[in-house]
Amino acid sequence: MTDKVTVTFAADTRNVALARTVAAAMAARADLPLDQLEDVRLAVDEAVTQVLLAAVPGADVTCTFLVDGYTLQATVAAPTQATEPPSTTTFSWTVLAALVDSAHSSVGDGVMTIGLTASRGLVDV
Amino acid sequence: MTLEETSSGRWTDAQRQHEHAMWAALEQMAPDDPRRGVLRDELITMHLPLVHHLARRYRDRGEDMDDLVQVGTVGLIKAIDGFDPSRGLELSTYATPTILGEIKRHFRDRTWALHVPRRLQVLQAQVTECSDRLTLELHRAPTVRELAAALEVSEADILDALDARTAYAADSLHGTPDDDSIPSALSTLGSMDEGFESIDDRETLRPLIEALPDRERAILQMRFFQGMSQSQIAEALGISQMHVSRLLARTLASLRDGMAQG
């Protein structure tokens, strides 16, 4: 079963909670156990915060959640003037990367993107 | 002259006599006598150290001390307004339960914020209990679907309950003192620096992490530098996975705030 939800909101820290809530709902659709669900919630919080910090003032942040079976993919993107993706040697990135199975960041065409993937462990399925 | 200024922390005879004289004067005054307000203000000021003293008992519960003192002062004022000196009690004796009552009510209201409906509060408690039980059965944390089936509610209800918990997370007043300590085996965890070598902002981070309570620091290390899952940490610390999740979220938020300021 494939399921896709996209939310777009103004680059304002007040909207981070919104992204967290949608992330948790989508993690539930991927049937992730509660601890992984909470990890995803925290990871999306970190990702949105990082993208927000680099976003052009007044820009929109777009979060896309894709559920495919027991896998959740989330991408967080916003227009930026940065030319480099967020450093992967910060504490924030260390936390982000530890919370999900994989995390990547990129900047291209003036848009910063952070992508996350969380999959339910095969052992449980 | 205030309570705290006396070496023993108790009223001196002179202070007590002064207060008794104030009450006697109040007794004589007509209800609309403007001097009543002055005496009332002085009584409030005199007893503020009692409010501070009582509020300090709750200082580690994650609430701002100023807020606690403020609600405690509301309790003090209520006590002063309702006090009947003819009954032979000291005001401090009479006011203590009223002040504590206001502080405790503040915690109830705040931690279960005014915005969380009663139904969700009940459901949240059920989710925690059910999650612990299913974790034992399944040897892993349950999914939202499994919780919904077990509690015979919708998955949306489970998500609401989880959301309410993270949105209004605050330290529980019901925790026992043991709840805040960590097993001794964990207090000897290796230095966090090992996992930190590759982190650029570790110098900003270090004082923030050192300032964390032992348990929060241990959770951070186990989750991010030892790769343990929330469930494994919960088992190691003898607390629920949901509690681990709550502490982790709070710790990360506080580190982020600290780094933003630093």
mmCIF file of all heavy atoms in Angstrom, chain A residues 21 24-25 28 31 33-35 37-39 41-42 45-46 49 87 89-91 94-95 98-99 120 124, chain B residues 131 140-145 147 159 162-163 165 198-201 205 223-224 230-231 241 245 249 255-256:
data_model
loop_
_atom_site.group_PDB
_atom_site.id
_atom_site.type_symbol
_atom_site.label_atom_id
_atom_site.label_comp_id
_atom_site.label_asym_id
_atom_site.label_seq_id
_atom_site.Cartn_x
_atom_site.Cartn_y
_atom_site.Cartn_z
ATOM 1 N N THR A 21 3.213 16.288 14.188
ATOM 2 C CA THR A 21 1.951 15.562 14.301
ATOM 3 C C THR A 21 1.675 14.728 13.053
ATOM 4 O O THR A 21 1.295 13.559 13.147
ATOM 5 C CB THR A 21 0.799 16.556 14.560
ATOM 6 O OG1 THR A 21 1.063 17.220 15.799
ATOM 7 C CG2 THR A 21 -0.533 15.852 14.629
ATOM 8 N N ALA A 24 3.967 11.704 12.970
ATOM 9 C CA ALA A 24 3.542 10.605 13.837
ATOM 10 C C ALA A 24 2.394 9.830 13.190
ATOM 11 O O ALA A 24 2.371 8.594 13.212
ATOM 12 C CB ALA A 24 3.113 11.157 15.203
ATOM 13 N N ALA A 25 1.459 10.548 12.592
ATOM 14 C CA ALA A 25 0.326 9.888 11.944
ATOM 15 C C ALA A 25 0.791 9.002 10.790
ATOM 16 O O ALA A 25 0.307 7.885 10.600
ATOM 17 C CB ALA A 25 -0.676 10.934 11.444
ATOM 18 N N ALA A 28 2.511 5.895 11.969
ATOM 19 C CA ALA A 28 1.519 4.902 12.387
ATOM 20 C C ALA A 28 1.008 4.129 11.176
ATOM 21 O O ALA A 28 0.768 2.931 11.238
ATOM 22 C CB ALA A 28 0.359 5.588 13.110
ATOM 23 N N ASP A 31 3.006 1.451 10.271
ATOM 24 C CA ASP A 31 2.953 0.434 11.313
ATOM 25 C C ASP A 31 4.259 0.339 12.094
ATOM 26 O O ASP A 31 4.678 -0.744 12.498
ATOM 27 C CB ASP A 31 2.601 -0.926 10.700
ATOM 28 C CG ASP A 31 1.510 -1.624 11.514
ATOM 29 O OD1 ASP A 31 0.939 -0.976 12.409
ATOM 30 O OD2 ASP A 31 1.255 -2.810 11.262
ATOM 31 N N PRO A 33 6.580 0.517 15.282
ATOM 32 C CA PRO A 33 6.367 0.417 16.738
ATOM 33 C C PRO A 33 6.524 1.794 17.386
ATOM 34 O O PRO A 33 7.188 2.668 16.834
ATOM 35 C CB PRO A 33 7.473 -0.527 17.203
ATOM 36 C CG PRO A 33 7.957 -1.219 15.987
ATOM 37 C CD PRO A 33 7.695 -0.301 14.828
ATOM 38 N N LEU A 34 5.918 1.925 18.546
ATOM 39 C CA LEU A 34 5.847 3.219 19.222
ATOM 40 C C LEU A 34 7.188 3.911 19.398
ATOM 41 O O LEU A 34 7.290 5.127 19.246
ATOM 42 C CB LEU A 34 5.192 3.026 20.593
ATOM 43 C CG LEU A 34 4.110 4.013 20.981
ATOM 44 C CD1 LEU A 34 3.077 4.171 19.894
ATOM 45 C CD2 LEU A 34 3.457 3.565 22.280
ATOM 46 N N ASP A 35 8.225 3.146 19.723
ATOM 47 C CA ASP A 35 9.506 3.838 19.937
ATOM 48 C C ASP A 35 10.056 4.401 18.630
ATOM 49 O O ASP A 35 10.593 5.503 18.595
ATOM 50 C CB ASP A 35 10.534 2.985 20.697
ATOM 51 C CG ASP A 35 10.719 1.601 20.137
ATOM 52 O OD1 ASP A 35 10.008 1.223 19.182
ATOM 53 O OD2 ASP A 35 11.580 0.877 20.671
ATOM 54 N N LEU A 37 8.159 5.271 16.137
ATOM 55 C CA LEU A 37 7.255 6.389 15.823
ATOM 56 C C LEU A 37 7.711 7.665 16.522
ATOM 57 O O LEU A 37 7.774 8.741 15.920
ATOM 58 C CB LEU A 37 5.831 6.024 16.232
ATOM 59 C CG LEU A 37 4.729 7.079 16.024
ATOM 60 C CD1 LEU A 37 3.416 6.406 15.627
ATOM 61 C CD2 LEU A 37 4.497 7.905 17.282
ATOM 62 N N GLU A 38 8.067 7.526 17.793
ATOM 63 C CA GLU A 38 8.524 8.715 18.523
ATOM 64 C C GLU A 38 9.866 9.207 17.992
ATOM 65 O O GLU A 38 10.135 10.406 17.978
ATOM 66 C CB GLU A 38 8.612 8.423 20.027
ATOM 67 C CG GLU A 38 7.274 8.088 20.682
ATOM 68 C CD GLU A 38 6.262 9.242 20.651
ATOM 69 O OE1 GLU A 38 6.634 10.375 20.292
ATOM 70 O OE2 GLU A 38 5.087 9.004 20.973
ATOM 71 N N ASP A 39 10.704 8.275 17.553
ATOM 72 C CA ASP A 39 11.980 8.671 16.939
ATOM 73 C C ASP A 39 11.735 9.487 15.668
ATOM 74 O O ASP A 39 12.399 10.491 15.426
ATOM 75 C CB ASP A 39 12.815 7.428 16.590
ATOM 76 C CG ASP A 39 13.551 6.859 17.808
ATOM 77 O OD1 ASP A 39 13.562 7.513 18.864
ATOM 78 O OD2 ASP A 39 14.113 5.750 17.682
ATOM 79 N N ARG A 41 9.121 11.207 14.977
ATOM 80 C CA ARG A 41 8.589 12.508 15.366
ATOM 81 C C ARG A 41 9.741 13.482 15.712
ATOM 82 O O ARG A 41 9.762 14.623 15.258
ATOM 83 C CB ARG A 41 7.676 12.333 16.587
ATOM 84 C CG ARG A 41 6.724 13.497 16.800
ATOM 85 C CD ARG A 41 6.215 13.548 18.208
ATOM 86 N NE ARG A 41 5.377 12.439 18.656
ATOM 87 C CZ ARG A 41 4.047 12.450 18.649
ATOM 88 N NH1 ARG A 41 3.412 13.469 18.163
ATOM 89 N NH2 ARG A 41 3.380 11.422 19.123
ATOM 90 N N LEU A 42 10.699 12.976 16.490
ATOM 91 C CA LEU A 42 11.851 13.814 16.863
ATOM 92 C C LEU A 42 12.714 14.155 15.645
ATOM 93 O O LEU A 42 13.204 15.277 15.512
ATOM 94 C CB LEU A 42 12.725 13.083 17.899
ATOM 95 C CG LEU A 42 12.153 12.923 19.304
ATOM 96 C CD1 LEU A 42 13.056 12.021 20.133
ATOM 97 C CD2 LEU A 42 12.016 14.283 19.971
ATOM 98 N N ASP A 45 11.127 16.771 13.573
ATOM 99 C CA ASP A 45 11.301 18.029 14.304
ATOM 100 C C ASP A 45 12.681 18.632 14.005
ATOM 101 O O ASP A 45 12.802 19.811 13.658
ATOM 102 C CB ASP A 45 11.137 17.731 15.808
ATOM 103 C CG ASP A 45 11.151 18.987 16.659
ATOM 104 O OD1 ASP A 45 12.084 19.784 16.519
ATOM 105 O OD2 ASP A 45 10.232 19.164 17.472
ATOM 106 N N GLU A 46 13.714 17.795 14.108
ATOM 107 C CA GLU A 46 15.074 18.278 13.833
ATOM 108 C C GLU A 46 15.220 18.725 12.377
ATOM 109 O O GLU A 46 15.817 19.766 12.094
ATOM 110 C CB GLU A 46 16.106 17.164 14.103
ATOM 111 C CG GLU A 46 16.317 16.816 15.555
ATOM 112 C CD GLU A 46 17.085 17.890 16.335
ATOM 113 O OE1 GLU A 46 17.749 18.759 15.720
ATOM 114 O OE2 GLU A 46 17.010 17.854 17.563
ATOM 115 N N THR A 49 13.388 21.939 11.693
ATOM 116 C CA THR A 49 14.093 23.049 12.336
ATOM 117 C C THR A 49 15.324 23.452 11.525
ATOM 118 O O THR A 49 15.573 24.634 11.300
ATOM 119 C CB THR A 49 14.509 22.661 13.768
ATOM 120 O OG1 THR A 49 13.336 22.287 14.491
ATOM 121 C CG2 THR A 49 15.174 23.819 14.487
ATOM 122 N N SER A 87 25.590 20.920 7.622
ATOM 123 C CA SER A 87 26.739 20.093 7.966
ATOM 124 C C SER A 87 26.279 18.791 8.609
ATOM 125 O O SER A 87 25.321 18.766 9.381
ATOM 126 C CB SER A 87 27.643 20.871 8.923
ATOM 127 O OG SER A 87 28.507 19.971 9.577
ATOM 128 N N THR A 89 28.243 17.140 10.509
ATOM 129 C CA THR A 89 29.092 16.910 11.680
ATOM 130 C C THR A 89 28.641 17.755 12.866
ATOM 131 O O THR A 89 29.431 18.046 13.751
ATOM 132 C CB THR A 89 30.572 17.196 11.358
ATOM 133 O OG1 THR A 89 30.671 18.502 10.798
ATOM 134 C CG2 THR A 89 31.132 16.185 10.388
ATOM 135 N N THR A 90 27.371 18.145 12.873
ATOM 136 C CA THR A 90 26.837 18.858 14.030
ATOM 137 C C THR A 90 26.108 17.866 14.937
ATOM 138 O O THR A 90 25.761 16.767 14.511
ATOM 139 C CB THR A 90 25.819 19.934 13.602
ATOM 140 O OG1 THR A 90 24.775 19.284 12.873
ATOM 141 C CG2 THR A 90 26.461 20.999 12.746
ATOM 142 N N PHE A 91 25.866 18.303 16.155
ATOM 143 C CA PHE A 91 25.101 17.469 17.079
ATOM 144 C C PHE A 91 23.705 17.218 16.526
ATOM 145 O O PHE A 91 23.189 16.106 16.555
ATOM 146 C CB PHE A 91 25.017 18.148 18.443
ATOM 147 C CG PHE A 91 24.195 17.372 19.442
ATOM 148 C CD1 PHE A 91 24.641 16.156 19.924
ATOM 149 C CD2 PHE A 91 22.980 17.860 19.885
ATOM 150 C CE1 PHE A 91 23.894 15.437 20.833
ATOM 151 C CE2 PHE A 91 22.220 17.145 20.796
ATOM 152 C CZ PHE A 91 22.677 15.933 21.269
ATOM 153 N N THR A 94 23.788 14.567 13.991
ATOM 154 C CA THR A 94 24.084 13.282 14.635
ATOM 155 C C THR A 94 22.802 12.689 15.229
ATOM 156 O O THR A 94 22.511 11.502 15.075
ATOM 157 C CB THR A 94 25.128 13.469 15.762
ATOM 158 O OG1 THR A 94 26.272 14.106 15.211
ATOM 159 C CG2 THR A 94 25.523 12.146 16.386
ATOM 160 N N VAL A 95 22.043 13.568 15.888
ATOM 161 C CA VAL A 95 20.776 13.148 16.486
ATOM 162 C C VAL A 95 19.815 12.675 15.399
ATOM 163 O O VAL A 95 19.241 11.590 15.457
ATOM 164 C CB VAL A 95 20.161 14.329 17.280
ATOM 165 C CG1 VAL A 95 18.695 14.095 17.579
ATOM 166 C CG2 VAL A 95 20.935 14.543 18.573
ATOM 167 N N ALA A 98 20.742 9.393 13.873
ATOM 168 C CA ALA A 98 20.613 8.248 14.775
ATOM 169 C C ALA A 98 19.150 7.838 14.960
ATOM 170 O O ALA A 98 18.864 6.706 15.338
ATOM 171 C CB ALA A 98 21.240 8.577 16.124
ATOM 172 N N LEU A 99 18.243 8.765 14.694
ATOM 173 C CA LEU A 99 16.832 8.488 14.950
ATOM 174 C C LEU A 99 16.161 7.690 13.842
ATOM 175 O O LEU A 99 15.107 7.097 14.045
ATOM 176 C CB LEU A 99 16.073 9.813 15.144
ATOM 177 C CG LEU A 99 16.373 10.572 16.447
ATOM 178 C CD1 LEU A 99 15.804 11.988 16.379
ATOM 179 C CD2 LEU A 99 15.807 9.833 17.649
ATOM 180 N N ARG A 120 10.344 -0.366 9.449
ATOM 181 C CA ARG A 120 10.174 -1.296 10.543
ATOM 182 C C ARG A 120 11.134 -2.482 10.369
ATOM 183 O O ARG A 120 11.250 -3.015 9.265
ATOM 184 C CB ARG A 120 8.733 -1.783 10.551
ATOM 185 C CG ARG A 120 8.445 -2.680 11.728
ATOM 186 C CD ARG A 120 6.969 -2.786 11.900
ATOM 187 N NE ARG A 120 6.661 -3.956 12.699
ATOM 188 C CZ ARG A 120 5.435 -4.295 13.029
ATOM 189 N NH1 ARG A 120 4.416 -3.583 12.613
ATOM 190 N NH2 ARG A 120 5.224 -5.356 13.757
ATOM 191 N N ASP A 124 10.514 -8.013 13.088
ATOM 192 C CA ASP A 124 9.198 -7.883 13.689
ATOM 193 C C ASP A 124 8.067 -8.231 12.741
ATOM 194 O O ASP A 124 6.956 -8.506 13.172
ATOM 195 C CB ASP A 124 8.953 -6.429 14.154
ATOM 196 C CG ASP A 124 9.997 -5.981 15.149
ATOM 197 O OD1 ASP A 124 10.508 -6.853 15.868
ATOM 198 O OD2 ASP A 124 10.291 -4.796 15.182
ATOM 199 N N SER B 131 0.689 -0.057 26.631
ATOM 200 C CA SER B 131 1.953 -0.119 25.912
ATOM 201 C C SER B 131 2.982 -0.937 26.700
ATOM 202 O O SER B 131 3.697 -1.771 26.135
ATOM 203 C CB SER B 131 2.453 1.302 25.668
ATOM 204 O OG SER B 131 3.746 1.282 25.148
ATOM 205 N N ARG B 140 8.780 -6.119 21.991
ATOM 206 C CA ARG B 140 9.104 -4.871 21.295
ATOM 207 C C ARG B 140 7.966 -3.905 21.597
ATOM 208 O O ARG B 140 6.932 -4.309 22.137
ATOM 209 C CB ARG B 140 9.210 -5.080 19.775
ATOM 210 C CG ARG B 140 7.904 -5.573 19.152
ATOM 211 C CD ARG B 140 7.870 -5.361 17.637
ATOM 212 N NE ARG B 140 6.729 -6.065 17.051
ATOM 213 C CZ ARG B 140 5.462 -5.644 17.096
ATOM 214 N NH1 ARG B 140 5.155 -4.505 17.715
ATOM 215 N NH2 ARG B 140 4.490 -6.345 16.536
ATOM 216 N N ALA B 141 8.166 -2.646 21.264
ATOM 217 C CA ALA B 141 7.099 -1.671 21.489
ATOM 218 C C ALA B 141 5.932 -1.977 20.545
ATOM 219 O O ALA B 141 6.148 -2.418 19.416
ATOM 220 C CB ALA B 141 7.622 -0.266 21.235
ATOM 221 N N PRO B 142 4.704 -1.785 20.996
ATOM 222 C CA PRO B 142 3.554 -2.031 20.128
ATOM 223 C C PRO B 142 3.419 -0.928 19.073
ATOM 224 O O PRO B 142 4.002 0.145 19.213
ATOM 225 C CB PRO B 142 2.370 -1.974 21.100
ATOM 226 C CG PRO B 142 2.824 -1.071 22.189
ATOM 227 C CD PRO B 142 4.307 -1.293 22.320
ATOM 228 N N THR B 143 2.638 -1.212 18.039
ATOM 229 C CA THR B 143 2.338 -0.180 17.054
ATOM 230 C C THR B 143 1.047 0.515 17.462
ATOM 231 O O THR B 143 0.320 0.043 18.347
ATOM 232 C CB THR B 143 2.147 -0.792 15.650
ATOM 233 O OG1 THR B 143 0.990 -1.644 15.695
ATOM 234 C CG2 THR B 143 3.353 -1.622 15.240
ATOM 235 N N VAL B 144 0.762 1.606 16.801
ATOM 236 C CA VAL B 144 -0.477 2.339 17.062
ATOM 237 C C VAL B 144 -1.685 1.433 16.779
ATOM 238 O O VAL B 144 -2.663 1.416 17.518
ATOM 239 C CB VAL B 144 -0.534 3.632 16.210
ATOM 240 C CG1 VAL B 144 -1.918 4.264 16.259
ATOM 241 C CG2 VAL B 144 0.521 4.616 16.689
ATOM 242 N N ARG B 145 -1.572 0.658 15.699
ATOM 243 C CA ARG B 145 -2.663 -0.250 15.323
ATOM 244 C C ARG B 145 -2.932 -1.270 16.436
ATOM 245 O O ARG B 145 -4.076 -1.535 16.799
ATOM 246 C CB ARG B 145 -2.292 -0.971 14.015
ATOM 247 C CG ARG B 145 -3.409 -1.759 13.377
ATOM 248 C CD ARG B 145 -3.062 -2.132 11.929
ATOM 249 N NE ARG B 145 -1.726 -2.726 11.811
ATOM 250 C CZ ARG B 145 -1.472 -4.009 12.024
ATOM 251 N NH1 ARG B 145 -2.439 -4.844 12.359
ATOM 252 N NH2 ARG B 145 -0.247 -4.474 11.891
ATOM 253 N N LEU B 147 -2.190 -0.977 19.618
ATOM 254 C CA LEU B 147 -2.744 -0.297 20.793
ATOM 255 C C LEU B 147 -4.230 -0.012 20.587
ATOM 256 O O LEU B 147 -5.045 -0.190 21.506
ATOM 257 C CB LEU B 147 -1.995 1.015 21.064
ATOM 258 C CG LEU B 147 -0.614 0.889 21.702
ATOM 259 C CD1 LEU B 147 0.144 2.204 21.612
ATOM 260 C CD2 LEU B 147 -0.739 0.454 23.164
ATOM 261 N N LEU B 159 -3.252 8.264 18.495
ATOM 262 C CA LEU B 159 -2.344 9.340 18.083
ATOM 263 C C LEU B 159 -2.612 10.622 18.869
ATOM 264 O O LEU B 159 -1.690 11.323 19.265
ATOM 265 C CB LEU B 159 -2.464 9.602 16.577
ATOM 266 C CG LEU B 159 -1.760 8.576 15.683
ATOM 267 C CD1 LEU B 159 -2.200 8.723 14.239
ATOM 268 C CD2 LEU B 159 -0.238 8.725 15.788
ATOM 269 N N LEU B 162 -1.070 10.230 22.257
ATOM 270 C CA LEU B 162 0.388 10.361 22.205
ATOM 271 C C LEU B 162 0.784 11.813 22.016
ATOM 272 O O LEU B 162 1.735 12.301 22.611
ATOM 273 C CB LEU B 162 0.964 9.530 21.046
ATOM 274 C CG LEU B 162 0.805 8.015 21.121
ATOM 275 C CD1 LEU B 162 1.325 7.373 19.849
ATOM 276 C CD2 LEU B 162 1.547 7.468 22.333
ATOM 277 N N ASP B 163 0.027 12.498 21.175
ATOM 278 C CA ASP B 163 0.303 13.888 20.863
ATOM 279 C C ASP B 163 0.106 14.762 22.096
ATOM 280 O O ASP B 163 0.914 15.643 22.375
ATOM 281 C CB ASP B 163 -0.653 14.341 19.760
ATOM 282 C CG ASP B 163 0.041 15.239 18.762
ATOM 283 O OD1 ASP B 163 1.268 15.119 18.632
ATOM 284 O OD2 ASP B 163 -0.647 16.056 18.127
ATOM 285 N N ARG B 165 0.437 13.925 25.052
ATOM 286 C CA ARG B 165 1.522 13.678 25.993
ATOM 287 C C ARG B 165 2.755 14.474 25.620
ATOM 288 O O ARG B 165 3.374 15.111 26.464
ATOM 289 C CB ARG B 165 1.850 12.191 25.988
ATOM 290 C CG ARG B 165 3.022 11.810 26.826
ATOM 291 C CD ARG B 165 3.203 10.317 26.796
ATOM 292 N NE ARG B 165 3.254 9.835 25.426
ATOM 293 C CZ ARG B 165 4.365 9.776 24.726
ATOM 294 N NH1 ARG B 165 5.497 10.133 25.245
ATOM 295 N NH2 ARG B 165 4.345 9.352 23.483
ATOM 296 N N SER B 198 33.640 13.541 16.541
ATOM 297 C CA SER B 198 33.403 14.031 15.190
ATOM 298 C C SER B 198 32.412 15.188 15.134
ATOM 299 O O SER B 198 32.042 15.640 14.070
ATOM 300 C CB SER B 198 32.896 12.871 14.333
ATOM 301 O OG SER B 198 31.732 12.355 14.942
ATOM 302 N N ILE B 199 31.976 15.643 16.306
ATOM 303 C CA ILE B 199 30.966 16.698 16.296
ATOM 304 C C ILE B 199 31.609 18.075 16.405
ATOM 305 O O ILE B 199 32.367 18.355 17.334
ATOM 306 C CB ILE B 199 29.949 16.475 17.443
ATOM 307 C CG1 ILE B 199 29.155 15.212 17.145
ATOM 308 C CG2 ILE B 199 29.025 17.666 17.584
ATOM 309 C CD1 ILE B 199 28.156 14.875 18.214
ATOM 310 N N ASP B 200 31.298 18.938 15.444
ATOM 311 C CA ASP B 200 31.931 20.257 15.389
ATOM 312 C C ASP B 200 31.560 21.145 16.568
ATOM 313 O O ASP B 200 32.383 21.886 17.078
ATOM 314 C CB ASP B 200 31.503 20.991 14.107
ATOM 315 C CG ASP B 200 32.043 20.303 12.878
ATOM 316 O OD1 ASP B 200 33.026 19.544 13.023
ATOM 317 O OD2 ASP B 200 31.490 20.524 11.790
ATOM 318 N N ASP B 201 30.294 21.084 16.941
ATOM 319 C CA ASP B 201 29.835 22.028 17.958
ATOM 320 C C ASP B 201 29.908 21.433 19.360
ATOM 321 O O ASP B 201 29.190 21.836 20.256
ATOM 322 C CB ASP B 201 28.417 22.531 17.652
ATOM 323 C CG ASP B 201 27.478 21.441 17.143
ATOM 324 O OD1 ASP B 201 27.875 20.247 17.166
ATOM 325 O OD2 ASP B 201 26.362 21.767 16.736
ATOM 326 N N LEU B 205 28.208 22.300 23.165
ATOM 327 C CA LEU B 205 27.317 21.277 23.684
ATOM 328 C C LEU B 205 27.741 20.754 25.054
ATOM 329 O O LEU B 205 26.906 20.467 25.910
ATOM 330 C CB LEU B 205 27.340 20.132 22.681
ATOM 331 C CG LEU B 205 26.235 19.121 22.696
ATOM 332 C CD1 LEU B 205 24.914 19.811 22.423
ATOM 333 C CD2 LEU B 205 26.522 18.079 21.625
ATOM 334 N N ARG B 223 20.959 6.414 23.661
ATOM 335 C CA ARG B 223 20.217 6.481 22.399
ATOM 336 C C ARG B 223 21.108 6.855 21.230
ATOM 337 O O ARG B 223 21.041 6.263 20.163
ATOM 338 C CB ARG B 223 19.051 7.484 22.530
ATOM 339 C CG ARG B 223 18.161 7.583 21.291
ATOM 340 C CD ARG B 223 17.415 6.286 21.057
ATOM 341 N NE ARG B 223 16.808 6.195 19.726
ATOM 342 C CZ ARG B 223 17.457 5.789 18.640
ATOM 343 N NH1 ARG B 223 18.715 5.442 18.714
ATOM 344 N NH2 ARG B 223 16.842 5.740 17.483
ATOM 345 N N PHE B 224 21.962 7.870 21.434
ATOM 346 C CA PHE B 224 22.681 8.415 20.286
ATOM 347 C C PHE B 224 24.100 7.916 20.124
ATOM 348 O O PHE B 224 24.655 7.974 19.042
ATOM 349 C CB PHE B 224 22.654 9.942 20.322
ATOM 350 C CG PHE B 224 21.256 10.464 20.188
ATOM 351 C CD1 PHE B 224 20.657 11.171 21.198
ATOM 352 C CD2 PHE B 224 20.531 10.182 19.039
ATOM 353 C CE1 PHE B 224 19.360 11.620 21.075
ATOM 354 C CE2 PHE B 224 19.226 10.623 18.904
ATOM 355 C CZ PHE B 224 18.646 11.340 19.920
ATOM 356 N N GLN B 230 14.676 3.135 22.161
ATOM 357 C CA GLN B 230 13.958 3.663 23.322
ATOM 358 C C GLN B 230 13.488 2.529 24.227
ATOM 359 O O GLN B 230 13.522 2.647 25.457
ATOM 360 C CB GLN B 230 12.763 4.501 22.882
ATOM 361 C CG GLN B 230 13.165 5.802 22.202
ATOM 362 C CD GLN B 230 11.963 6.713 21.965
ATOM 363 O OE1 GLN B 230 10.863 6.460 22.474
ATOM 364 N NE2 GLN B 230 12.149 7.768 21.204
ATOM 365 N N SER B 231 13.057 1.426 23.617
ATOM 366 C CA SER B 231 12.570 0.297 24.420
ATOM 367 C C SER B 231 13.695 -0.330 25.236
ATOM 368 O O SER B 231 13.505 -0.709 26.395
ATOM 369 C CB SER B 231 11.939 -0.767 23.525
ATOM 370 O OG SER B 231 10.856 -0.219 22.831
ATOM 371 N N GLN B 241 8.777 2.978 28.068
ATOM 372 C CA GLN B 241 9.325 3.538 26.824
ATOM 373 C C GLN B 241 8.755 4.925 26.584
ATOM 374 O O GLN B 241 9.422 5.824 26.085
ATOM 375 C CB GLN B 241 9.001 2.595 25.652
ATOM 376 C CG GLN B 241 9.375 3.139 24.281
ATOM 377 C CD GLN B 241 8.195 3.786 23.600
ATOM 378 O OE1 GLN B 241 7.090 3.250 23.643
ATOM 379 N NE2 GLN B 241 8.395 4.939 22.993
ATOM 380 N N SER B 245 10.732 8.356 25.903
ATOM 381 C CA SER B 245 10.446 9.209 24.760
ATOM 382 C C SER B 245 10.221 10.658 25.188
ATOM 383 O O SER B 245 10.726 11.610 24.590
ATOM 384 C CB SER B 245 9.228 8.638 24.043
ATOM 385 O OG SER B 245 8.632 9.588 23.237
ATOM 386 N N ALA B 249 12.683 13.776 24.259
ATOM 387 C CA ALA B 249 12.175 14.947 23.533
ATOM 388 C C ALA B 249 12.492 16.220 24.305
ATOM 389 O O ALA B 249 12.930 17.222 23.749
ATOM 390 C CB ALA B 249 10.666 14.814 23.309
ATOM 391 N N LEU B 255 18.541 21.132 24.826
ATOM 392 C CA LEU B 255 19.867 21.297 24.229
ATOM 393 C C LEU B 255 19.807 22.261 23.051
ATOM 394 O O LEU B 255 20.674 23.109 22.871
ATOM 395 C CB LEU B 255 20.430 19.941 23.765
ATOM 396 C CG LEU B 255 20.817 18.961 24.867
ATOM 397 C CD1 LEU B 255 21.302 17.654 24.268
ATOM 398 C CD2 LEU B 255 21.905 19.552 25.764
ATOM 399 N N ARG B 256 18.744 22.118 22.278
ATOM 400 C CA ARG B 256 18.625 22.997 21.109
ATOM 401 C C ARG B 256 18.469 24.453 21.551
ATOM 402 O O ARG B 256 19.084 25.344 20.995
ATOM 403 C CB ARG B 256 17.450 22.550 20.244
ATOM 404 C CG ARG B 256 17.458 23.227 18.902
ATOM 405 C CD ARG B 256 16.714 22.429 17.874
ATOM 406 N NE ARG B 256 15.323 22.283 18.245
ATOM 407 C CZ ARG B 256 14.534 21.355 17.765
ATOM 408 N NH1 ARG B 256 14.982 20.468 16.927
ATOM 409 N NH2 ARG B 256 13.283 21.300 18.130
#
